[in-house]
Amino acid sequence: MNIGSDRAGYIKALEAHIAMGYHAENAQKVLDRIKSLTEEERLPEGLPAHIGRRLNQLEEMRTSSPPLDANCLANIDAIIHAYKTGTLSVEDGKVSYWFNGKQKTGLIDPVGFNLVEHILKWRDEEGGIGRVWEESPEQYKQKASRAIFLPSDIHQHHEFWLSVRKIGGHRIDLWALDNTGSSFLELFQGDDLPSLDIDQTYNFWGPTTCLTTANGIVLRYMLLVEINLMDNQGNLMSDWKSIWATVTPGFSFGNHRCSGMYVRQTFYTGTAPDGQGILYVAVKRAGVCSHMPAL
């Protein structure tokens, strides 16, 4: 358990609640727990609130069930230490990369950063031991040509085929829901990973991440894969692109697969208020505009 950096103020507020009889029993339990924290368990005084919240998340990850593997824990422990000692900070839009419990970059913009190339380099540096971690305090949501995608149901939702492959592997084609509220492509542990020939020896496993879902916050493992969009004729629409995907326990059968933001970050897309519910997708803007009805 950690609390915000204003420990003294938090204790004072709890004591006031107890004195006034507001939820006194629960407040007393929290107060006793706070006072019992060792120096090592406490957050340093004056630590910014957003870093305190991130430390709480990381501490919860350490004790999650099922437990994280040693490679993830090594990174988490190093990041917690860096936040507490002030050697790691937070900037909007910036991330840092860690491998085998060691910081490999400062705060950088991940756009344009060749992560695959660097993972191979870091793995060589660490003798093949460890796992990459992209540290960002942000909490994520998971809810060539041109192509026209018709609605997949009466509610005008869209689904399309995505071609996915592990780094350096064979491709498989997956049916995905065009979910603009999801941050990552969703892969299922039971059938997608075996089909991609991905197991624990895969070089491009990443960190765990917190996802905000309709059922609350969940922890998911992440890994790097390559992805491409298929048009209505089964043709690939662009060059392959490396993205983060999350791993969901269970099987894909009977479940909608979240597409993540790959399509929106790679192509021009558009719809028209004509009642048809058609999704237009193209590599260039003209490919969308030339097919979209003028109303």
Side-chain angles (χ1 to χ4, degrees), residues 165-184:
R165 67 188 186 189
K166 72 176 186 179
I167 308 297
H170 65 275
R171 62 179 268 194
I172 65 171
D173 299 329
L174 302 174
W175 193 238
L177 177 69
D178 179 30
N179 186 348
T180 56
S182 63
S183 299
F184 302 106

Side-chain angles (χ1 to χ4, degrees), residues 3-295:
I3 60 172
S5 56
D6 186 12
R7 180 173 181 271
Y10 199 71
I11 290 175
K12 186 176 180 180
L14 285 170
E15 290 175 338
H17 272 268
I18 294 168
M20 290 184 291
Y22 294 153
H23 305 288
E25 184 177 351
N26 289 335
Q28 187 64 56
K29 289 179 180 178
V30 175
L31 180 61
D32 292 343
R33 173 59 179 142
I34 291 173
K35 289 183 175 180
S36 71
L37 292 175
T38 66
E39 194 66 33
E40 188 178 45
E41 290 176 308
R42 299 175 190 170
L43 296 184
E45 293 293 331
L47 201 65
H50 60 287
I51 291 181
R53 287 192 294 271
R54 180 56 176 167
L55 282 168
N56 286 335
Q57 290 179 348
L58 292 169
E59 293 283 7
E60 290 171 7
M61 288 182 188
R62 291 195 86 268
T63 58
S64 65
S65 180
L68 302 181
D69 63 31
N71 290 320
C72 277
L73 291 176
N75 287 322
I76 289 175
D77 288 343
I79 292 166
I80 288 175
H81 181 264
Y83 277 132
K84 284 185 174 181
T85 57
T87 58
L88 180 63
S89 58
V90 174
E91 288 184 30
D92 288 343
K94 300 290 183 68
V95 302
S96 59
Y97 289 101
W98 302 68
F99 199 97
N100 196 29
K102 300 174 184 176
Q103 186 171 0
K104 293 297 185 178
T105 72
L107 292 173
I108 62 171
D109 185 342
V111 177
F113 184 73
N114 191 331
L115 185 54
V116 171
E117 179 181 292
H118 282 83
I119 289 175
L120 295 174
K121 173 188 173 185
W122 298 333
R123 185 169 290 280
D124 286 342
E125 291 175 352
E126 300 299 326
I129 300 172
R131 177 177 294 178
V132 69
W133 183 285
E134 181 183 275
E135 174 54 16
S136 170
E138 182 178 357
Q139 203 166 85
Y140 298 101
K141 293 180 173 22
Q142 191 78 345
K143 314 183 246 185
S145 49
R146 57 177 174 258
I148 297 174
F149 298 96
L150 298 174
S152 59
D153 58 31
I154 61 173
H155 303 295
Q156 300 191 350
H157 294 141
H158 297 94
E159 292 180 298
F160 36 62
W161 284 101
L162 295 171
S163 192
V164 180
R165 67 188 186 189
K166 72 176 186 179
I167 308 297
H170 65 275
R171 62 179 268 194
I172 65 171
D173 299 329
L174 302 174
W175 193 238
L177 177 69
D178 179 30
N179 186 348
T180 56
S182 63
S183 299
F184 302 106
L185 171 68
E186 184 178 26
L187 298 177
F188 288 89
Q189 186 174 9
D191 49 352
D192 292 340
L193 297 197
S195 297
L196 288 164
D197 194 25
I198 291 176
D199 57 22
Q200 290 302 314
T201 64
Y202 183 50
N203 285 333
F204 299 98
W205 281 99
T208 55
T209 188
C210 294
L211 296 180
T212 302
T213 72
N215 295 319
I217 296 175
V218 298
L219 292 180
R220 292 286 185 262
Y221 275 110
M222 299 172 65
L223 71 168
L224 274 178
V225 294
E226 293 181 319
I227 191 171
N228 215 318
L229 178 65
M230 299 171 63
D231 65 16
N232 310 80
Q233 287 74 47
N235 302 310
L236 299 181
M237 292 186 61
S238 69
D239 295 332
W240 289 89
K241 183 176 182 179
S242 298
I243 64 164
W244 286 112
T246 57
V247 178
T248 298
F251 294 81
S252 61
F253 180 77
N255 290 306
H256 286 294
R257 180 194 313 282
C258 293
S259 62
M261 293 302 295
Y262 159 71
V263 172
R264 292 301 188 279
Q265 293 174 344
T266 307
F267 300 96
Y268 286 93
T269 63
T271 57
D274 59 356
Q276 300 299 309
I278 296 174
L279 174 67
Y280 302 87
V281 180
V283 174
K284 296 184 178 180
R285 185 175 63 177
V288 171
C289 297
S290 62
H291 284 72
M292 191 176 297
L295 300 176

